[in-house]
Amino acid sequence: MNPPLQLSTEILELRTRHPFRISRKGPEPIRTVLVRIRDADGVEGVGEATPQLFYGETIESVHAALARYAAVLGHDPFDLEGIDTRMLLALTGNASARAAVSSALHDLVGKRLGVPVYRMWGLDPATIPLSTFTIGIDTPEVIRQKVREAAEYPILKIKLGSDNDLAILEAIRSETDRELRVDANCGWTVKQAVRMLPVLEQFGVTVLEQPLPAEDLDGLAVVTRHSRIPVFVDESCHVAADIPRLAGRVDGVNLKLAKCGSLREAIRLIHTARAHQLMVMVGCMVESSVSITAAAQVTPLVDFVDLDGAALLAEDPWTGATLAAGRLTLPTGPGLGLSPRGR
């Protein structure tokens, strides 16, 4: 029998071009965990864990979880479903840590087969929707500067949920007539959200994401009933099992690997959402091209794409999927097609 798969880690220190602020938190250091998994023949796959304190994860908890997961990897990288199951039995939660392992394993298997991951699933990257580019909460002056710097992107995602929402929208519309999508990151009450709906329509907003706290599903249903703009949830939806309680309350869900825990769960979530007549967006945290490229593998299956996390960085230590003028291009190399920048 082959020796067990070997897992190793390193910390990535990332920084954004501009301080990045959303309604529930301000700018903070960005540290992620790069995961490498190597098989008996020396073939290596890579993944990235992006812990979020909002979801109960830290750099320290990721390392502790990965130590538990390393012990249940087994010998066969092709045992993707089995490894997912064993990780959940060993330790629940810790979604970003499990997502890093899943990404690394899919990368490794694709390399063993000599094909990109999306080809393993029979997907066509030519069908990927355009991606948004995110404008974080800031002063009107800085907002205008950010919009000018993002001139190549045809769709902007605007972070709201602050005391300055109207000024932010006015600042953006003073610079551009491009399509706008809004994410309030749990920042409003039901009354505030309903009151904002005609304002969002006036500014030409086409998508409203997570207007209310994650647990307020009945409130989300009220907002959706009043809205002519599609209402999506992010923080309210983690895994496929969350979909049935959201059906009929919202119009769509935002899938993120750091929430759902694996590429296989991401596929399950997409198909479950489709079965419940919900639209699907694939999103990201602020993270390197390792995570973005892993998430990009499922983009031919979704309606909306928001994979600009690496494009927000001042320096990205990896190269993989590229985002230019809103168009996401997947690598053609085997596995995830990643390489360290400069090599």
Side-chain angles (χ1 to χ4, degrees):
M1 180 181 290
N2 287 330
L5 297 167
Q6 298 297 307
L7 185 151
S8 62
T9 66
E10 67 179 89
I11 292 178
L12 299 181
E13 304 275 357
L14 308 175
R15 61 186 181 89
T16 54
R17 289 193 180 97
H18 295 282
F20 190 76
R21 180 180 164 223
I22 63 176
S23 65
R24 64 169 186 265
K25 66 178 182 179
E28 57 187 28
I30 301 167
R31 301 170 77 216
T32 68
V33 181
L34 186 75
V35 172
R36 302 178 189 269
I37 297 178
R38 183 181 294 263
D39 69 10
D41 296 323
V43 181
E44 183 179 86
V46 296
E48 181 181 17
T50 309
Q52 302 290 311
L53 191 57
F54 184 81
Y55 298 118
E57 287 189 273
T58 63
I59 288 289
E60 293 75 21
S61 72
V62 165
H63 277 116
L66 289 170
R68 295 280 294 274
Y69 298 146
V72 300
L73 290 178
H75 306 264
D76 182 8
F78 286 84
D79 185 22
L80 296 168
E81 193 72 30
I83 294 171
D84 263 16
T85 300
R86 293 197 297 275
M87 285 197 293
L88 282 169
L89 290 173
L91 185 66
T92 57
N94 299 280
S96 79
R98 287 186 288 112
V101 173
S102 174
S103 299
L105 287 168
H106 281 79
D107 186 30
L108 197 164
V109 167
K111 289 173 179 174
R112 292 297 299 263
L113 296 174
V115 296
V117 170
Y118 61 84
R119 291 291 294 163
M120 290 165 48
W121 297 334
L123 302 181
D124 180 4
T127 65
I128 298 173
L130 289 175
S131 176
T132 50
F133 183 84
T134 303
I135 306 295
I137 293 173
D138 220 312
T139 64
E141 294 77 12
V142 176
I143 290 283
R144 284 190 285 269
Q145 177 188 344
K146 290 179 179 180
V147 172
R148 289 192 293 270
E149 290 177 4
E152 69 172 287
Y153 297 98
I155 310 169
L156 298 178
K157 182 173 184 175
I158 312 306
K159 295 290 189 178
L160 296 183
S162 73
D163 296 331
N164 209 26
D165 288 341
L166 183 58
I168 289 172
L169 289 168
E170 289 174 339
I172 289 168
R173 276 295 180 234
S174 72
E175 291 289 337
T176 185
D177 60 358
R178 281 171 278 169
E179 180 182 347
L180 303 182
R181 299 172 186 171
V182 158
D183 183 3
N185 283 113
C186 309
W188 295 333
T189 65
V190 173
K191 288 184 178 179
Q192 286 174 320
V194 171
R195 189 165 61 243
M196 281 296 294
L197 290 174
V199 177
L200 298 179
E201 285 192 39
Q202 175 188 347
F203 283 92
V205 172
T206 59
V207 171
L208 172 59
E209 185 179 338
Q210 200 67 52
L212 308 182
E215 66 279 2
D216 191 1
L217 302 188
D218 290 337
L220 285 163
V222 172
V223 175
T224 301
R225 282 199 302 271
H226 282 83
S227 181
R228 289 183 287 193
I229 302 168
V231 176
F232 277 65
V233 288
D234 176 357
E235 288 86 346
S236 300
C237 182
H238 293 208
V239 296
D242 294 328
I243 296 294
R245 67 196 183 108
L246 293 167
R249 286 186 162 106
V250 296
D251 300 300
V253 296
N254 187 350
L255 153 72
K256 292 178 180 174
L257 292 184
K259 292 187 302 173
C260 76
S262 79
L263 282 163
R264 303 184 76 72
E265 180 63 22
I267 296 291
R268 280 191 289 271
L269 192 154
I270 291 168
H271 291 310
T272 304
R274 294 279 185 240
H276 286 82
Q277 289 80 52
L278 291 174
M279 293 181 285
V280 182
M281 176 190 303
V282 61
C284 62
M285 309 302 180
V286 180
E287 49 203 351
S288 83
S289 282
V290 175
S291 289
I292 297 301
T293 306
Q297 305 303 307
V298 304
T299 51
L301 292 172
V302 305
D303 306 286
F304 299 93
V305 173
D306 178 33
L307 289 181
D308 63 344
L312 296 169
L313 297 177
E315 296 177 355
D316 185 353
W318 285 79
T319 61
T322 58
L323 182 62
R327 178 80 48 196
L328 193 67
T329 302
L330 273 59
T332 57
L336 297 178
L338 293 158
S339 61
R341 188 168 295 279
R343 291 191 189 176

